[in-house]
Amino acid sequence: MPDEERLARAALTRLVEPGDEAVGRWLRRMGPVALWRALTGKGKPPPGATGDRLAGCALRAAGVDPVADLALIARCGGRFICPGDLDWPGQLDDLGDARPVGLWVRGPAGLRMWALRSVAVVGARACSDYGAHVAAALGTGLAERGWVVVSGAAHGVDGAAHRGALAAGGATIAVLASGVDVPYPRGHAELIERIAEQGLVLAELPPGAHPTRARFVLRNRVIAALTRGTVVVEAQYRSGSLVTARRAQQLGRSTMGVPGPVTSGLSAGVHELLRGEAVLVSDAAEVAELVGGIGDLAPERRGPLVERDLLDPVTARVLEALSARGGNDLRDVARGSGTGCDEALGRLHELLALGFVERRGDRWELVRPVRPSGGVRRGDPPNRGNRVKGLRR
């Protein structure tokens, strides 16, 4: 981008608030240089701009020095990225007129390439121990699978997700609602500095800018647009994390939620999200399956495999027909399993060879497994008898 346009965009980030769609429309029609002049009284006012709006811009413009801001970000080891730059993430263009004017970035990595394979993990600031554990596990698991973890560096879920990714030696991006040189919250100054060294810290606001309530909400749209999907871990009904998730839905991104106890207010917002368009996930593998490409499949979930699970259906029915109370007559077994006597006899001999049953005269009994409580469960794998290792065949 020409230096004049870059300076104009840098100046506009200090002059206007993030996400202002009116400014976005003016910028699209007029270009950054003409818009800067128009808003500062050096050119024809933008269409629809009120006198109060122009007066407010004039007051702000008095202290704007984009050259100084660009020099300051360079001293911090950062840079200012504009639409059209090679490092600009194209998915931010999905925001339309709410697209950032530019991004102030700290960190050595390339933002565009990192954003192509990124997932947002967001949630409650005052999260529970469960929420912090899940967020850290997601951060670690996603980082180990080569995904970039994006969050807002806030207390609670955000911080846990960042730390999980850093602990795995992975990549993480913090999107701030302040300038990149103003760590917020203050208690996360060390964490944000570490992210700037190992990952990326970015913001729409220029150096030195401080956060406000509205800026936190507007920041969330950048998190939603930048990533392939958003995972919410614990959120109350009124939560900025739900704003991020719903914006992700509007943008066509994957939206996911981790369930929690129904008795917890921290889970209420997530559960409401899951009743809509969001998908339930429980770990990083399931997240990667949703946002990844072909072959990024989560492992199949199933309970422990026991020996009777490997029996064919007819043999299993014969085994279930045996009473645990005592000897079983062949006719009773055949009737209970829905087979003929000859079929039932053949299956019983199979079960005898496998060690599930034993024969006492003309009656059949289940082999009783040894249990500490002395209880017997019908059809359980026996503790004795002839175990056939080839049962799987």
Side-chain angles (χ1 to χ4, degrees):
M1 175 169 291
D3 289 344
E4 188 180 18
E5 292 189 15
R6 188 176 301 278
L7 283 171
R9 283 186 177 272
L12 286 170
T13 64
R14 194 172 288 281
L15 188 69
V16 300
E17 287 296 309
D20 190 323
E21 294 193 28
V23 172
R25 287 193 298 272
W26 297 334
L27 188 59
R28 175 166 44 84
R29 294 171 184 171
M30 303 172 65
V33 176
L35 179 59
W36 166 252
R37 290 172 179 165
L39 291 175
T40 55
K42 299 175 184 177
K44 184 180 178 181
T50 64
D52 289 342
R53 178 83 188 254
L54 294 173
C57 288
L59 285 174
R60 277 194 173 186
V64 174
D65 186 351
V67 175
D69 285 338
L70 290 172
L72 177 56
I73 193 67
R75 288 197 298 273
C76 294
R79 58 204 182 274
F80 181 61
I81 301 175
C82 302
D85 287 346
L86 289 177
D87 204 23
W88 179 260
Q91 55 266 50
L92 290 180
D93 299 341
D94 293 345
L95 291 170
D97 289 332
R99 180 182 71 172
V101 174
L103 290 174
W104 301 87
V105 181
R106 288 180 64 201
L111 176 59
R112 185 175 70 89
M113 298 306 297
W114 273 28
L116 289 175
R117 190 175 168 84
S118 64
V119 178
V121 180
V122 297
R125 286 177 171 82
C127 69
S128 66
D129 291 342
Y130 163 78
H133 172 79
V134 169
L138 284 172
T140 298
L142 288 167
E144 289 174 344
R145 287 167 173 78
W147 287 90
V148 179
V149 177
V150 180
S151 199
H155 288 302
V157 167
D158 288 17
H162 287 306
R163 290 188 182 96
L166 291 169
T172 188
I173 299 174
V175 184
L176 305 185
S178 60
V180 292
D181 60 337
V182 181
Y184 189 89
R186 293 291 183 185
H188 278 181
E190 185 177 346
L191 173 63
I192 293 171
E193 191 63 31
R194 188 179 169 201
I195 294 172
E197 294 172 358
Q198 186 172 325
L200 289 170
V201 176
L202 62 90
E204 293 180 81
L205 293 159
H210 291 274
T212 64
R213 184 181 296 274
R215 287 172 175 176
F216 281 113
V217 176
L218 292 166
R219 179 271 311 270
N220 292 341
R221 84 192 193 290
V222 176
I223 295 176
L226 191 67
T227 54
R228 297 271 288 273
T230 295
V231 186
V232 183
V233 181
E234 290 195 327
Q236 296 182 339
Y237 282 122
R238 291 177 56 85
S239 169
S241 303
L242 299 184
V243 174
T244 308
R246 286 167 182 148
R247 194 56 183 265
Q249 286 179 345
Q250 294 168 3
L251 293 168
R253 311 293 197 261
S254 296
T255 308
M256 297 152 278
V258 178
V262 296
T263 54
S264 171
L266 286 170
S267 299
V270 181
H271 293 167
E272 186 68 21
L273 198 66
L274 290 171
R275 293 183 65 193
E277 299 296 324
V279 177
L280 187 152
V281 293
S282 60
D283 60 17
E286 293 178 351
V287 174
E289 182 178 70
L290 282 171
V291 299
I294 296 174
D296 287 328
L297 299 176
E300 182 182 359
R301 314 291 183 182
R302 60 178 300 166
L305 187 69
V306 296
E307 288 178 333
R308 65 175 179 272
D309 295 334
L310 302 173
L311 298 173
D312 69 75
V314 177
T315 305
R317 289 208 314 270
V318 171
L319 180 62
E320 289 294 323
L322 291 166
S323 171
R325 299 197 188 104
N328 298 266
D329 181 73
L330 177 61
R331 288 181 176 274
D332 293 335
V333 174
R335 187 182 304 112
S337 60
T339 62
C341 288
D342 292 340
E343 177 76 8
L345 182 61
R347 302 293 176 165
L348 284 169
H349 277 286
E350 288 182 20
L351 292 169
L352 176 66
L354 295 171
F356 283 92
V357 301
E358 58 188 3
R359 184 170 184 172
R360 296 185 181 276
D362 59 352
R363 303 183 73 80
W364 298 83
E365 295 183 0
L366 290 169
V367 171
R368 296 178 179 272
V370 176
R371 295 181 178 275
S373 62
V376 177
R377 184 182 302 164
R378 186 169 71 177
D380 273 345
N383 70 298
R384 61 185 177 87
N386 181 17
R387 299 294 190 91
V388 177
K389 294 183 180 179
L391 182 60
R392 290 178 179 271
R393 291 179 294 182

